[in-house]
Amino acid sequence: MSNLADVLGPDAKTLGTLTEPREFNLMFKTIIGALGGDDDAAFLRPETAQGIFVNFKNVLDSSRVAVPFGIAQVGKSFRNEITPRNFTFRSREFEQMEIEFFCKPASSPDWYKYWRDRRYQWYLDLGLPRARLQLRDHHADELSHYSCGTADIEYAFPFLPPGEFGELEGVAHRGDFDLRSHMEGKLAKDAEGKLVVELGPDGKPKHRGSGKDLSYFDAETRERFVPHVIEPSAGADRATLAFLCEAYTEDKVPDENGNPRERTLLKLHPRLAPVKAAVFPLVKKTACPRWRRRFTAT
């Protein structure tokens, strides 16, 4: 693009308001050490998944698990969001819930469908209505280069424009991309669309892997393969925000004199409600508190 002055930027009303391209780094940079030099730079993790892949071999050898199996983790993630907004919907520090489910390549499409449908049902079971929840499959041009299929679970947050949905969770069929990347190095698609190790000018891997064997040997079928991975990745903060938005209710009830009064309450699903049941006296008698204590003690 030769002349930015002739381009009308997104949501702009006049020409010449589009800035020069700038490079953004979504990795959250920090300094480790008292000196604070360039050599002390580090980056906070942008997701919990990579720790699971690094620990895959240890779990496989020490726990004696058999494919298919999954490793789940909940923890903090950090991203240098360009436009944090909407309370906890988009923030630089957030709580993430992820499962890396390892399975045989031949059965991976069925497992992808299983986790895709099960995770969608999880939100329905906890009170989000179908009218405000959608399961959206990614189009081919949206898929990441490693993805065999991805679906987003999205909720119509009240702060979004009508008809728009915000992502709660993504479920991705990542194939053998992650384990191969840790073994061999950074992968990229070749001319035939296959994932191969990206090479540098010297013909060696541009970003080297660990060199460790992360394949799996099936003792029953006597075959060795690199497991495929199905990854449900959800934002715990976003799910909490969605449940609170859906539960928020304003209504009117009669007061002690029969006059309508406004009240604000949360109609949480019973599994999410901090208080499951309560016992209240309906008459003002001295015996009631003793009876109530005896009742709740049982």
Side-chain angles (χ1 to χ4, degrees):
M1 190 175 295
S2 58
N3 191 359
L4 294 176
D6 296 333
V7 179
L8 186 65
D11 299 325
K13 297 182 179 179
T14 56
L15 294 173
T17 57
L18 192 65
T19 65
E20 291 288 338
R22 289 176 288 179
E23 187 173 332
F24 289 95
N25 187 356
L26 297 183
M27 294 286 286
F28 208 107
K29 188 176 182 179
T30 187
I31 299 295
I32 298 177
L35 296 179
D38 292 338
D39 294 337
D40 299 322
F43 295 89
L44 302 181
R45 66 179 185 185
E47 57 182 15
T48 64
Q50 296 310 316
I52 297 177
F53 293 122
V54 170
N55 207 33
F56 168 77
K57 188 68 173 176
N58 181 42
V59 172
L60 193 64
D61 293 340
S62 60
S63 302
R64 302 185 69 179
V65 292
V67 169
F69 72 92
I71 303 175
Q73 182 168 307
V74 180
K76 290 287 186 184
S77 296
F78 304 84
R79 293 179 189 173
N80 229 348
E81 290 288 354
I82 301 171
T83 55
R85 62 185 185 275
N86 291 333
F87 192 42
T88 60
F89 179 76
R90 191 180 300 281
S91 56
R92 293 190 171 100
E93 176 184 342
F94 55 95
E95 199 82 13
Q96 196 172 20
M97 309 182 294
E98 288 189 302
I99 300 173
E100 304 304 328
F101 187 81
F102 303 94
C103 57
K104 293 182 177 181
S107 61
S108 60
D110 293 332
W111 279 116
Y112 167 65
K113 185 178 185 304
Y114 168 84
W115 281 110
R116 171 184 173 275
D117 296 342
R118 178 165 181 170
R119 292 302 304 146
Y120 176 69
Q121 188 63 42
W122 185 78
Y123 292 96
L124 294 174
D125 291 343
L126 291 178
L128 296 187
R130 292 182 184 273
R132 298 177 64 83
L133 193 69
Q134 70 176 15
L135 180 61
R136 186 182 67 83
D137 291 304
H138 283 206
H139 299 295
D141 57 352
E142 291 183 90
L143 293 175
S144 301
H145 66 284
Y146 54 77
S147 176
C148 303
T150 301
D152 285 343
I153 301 169
E154 300 172 332
Y155 174 71
F157 285 94
F159 48 74
L160 296 177
E164 289 192 12
F165 289 75
E167 181 185 346
L168 291 175
E169 178 172 342
V171 182
H173 184 329
R174 301 176 65 93
D176 59 4
F177 172 81
D178 297 286
L179 293 179
R180 281 189 58 201
S181 294
H182 281 275
M183 285 193 296
E184 306 169 21
K186 185 180 178 183
L187 302 178
K189 280 190 175 182
D190 61 9
E192 299 178 358
K194 297 180 180 179
L195 288 173
V196 296
V197 177
E198 187 176 352
L199 302 178
D202 56 357
K204 297 180 180 180
K206 190 174 182 179
H207 303 282
R208 292 188 301 112
S210 66
K212 294 183 178 180
D213 183 11
L214 299 181
S215 63
Y216 174 84
F217 179 72
D218 192 323
E220 293 184 1
T221 62
R222 313 301 295 176
E223 62 175 331
R224 181 173 293 277
F225 56 89
V226 177
H228 280 201
V229 174
I230 312 300
E231 181 192 72
S233 178
D237 302 300
R238 287 191 179 185
T240 302
L241 182 60
F243 292 134
L244 289 175
C245 288
E246 193 62 41
Y248 181 85
T249 305
E250 295 178 351
D251 63 6
K252 291 184 179 181
V253 294
D255 60 15
E256 58 185 7
N257 297 319
N259 299 319
R261 66 175 180 87
E262 294 184 355
R263 67 172 183 173
T264 302
L265 67 151
L266 290 176
K267 289 187 176 181
L268 291 166
H269 188 277
R271 289 171 61 188
L272 298 176
V275 178
K276 307 300 182 184
V279 179
F280 298 100
L282 298 179
V283 293
K284 295 180 180 179
K285 291 184 178 179
T286 56
C288 280
R290 291 196 300 272
W291 173 85
R292 186 172 70 250
R293 285 195 294 270
R294 187 169 66 252
F295 178 80
T296 54
T298 59

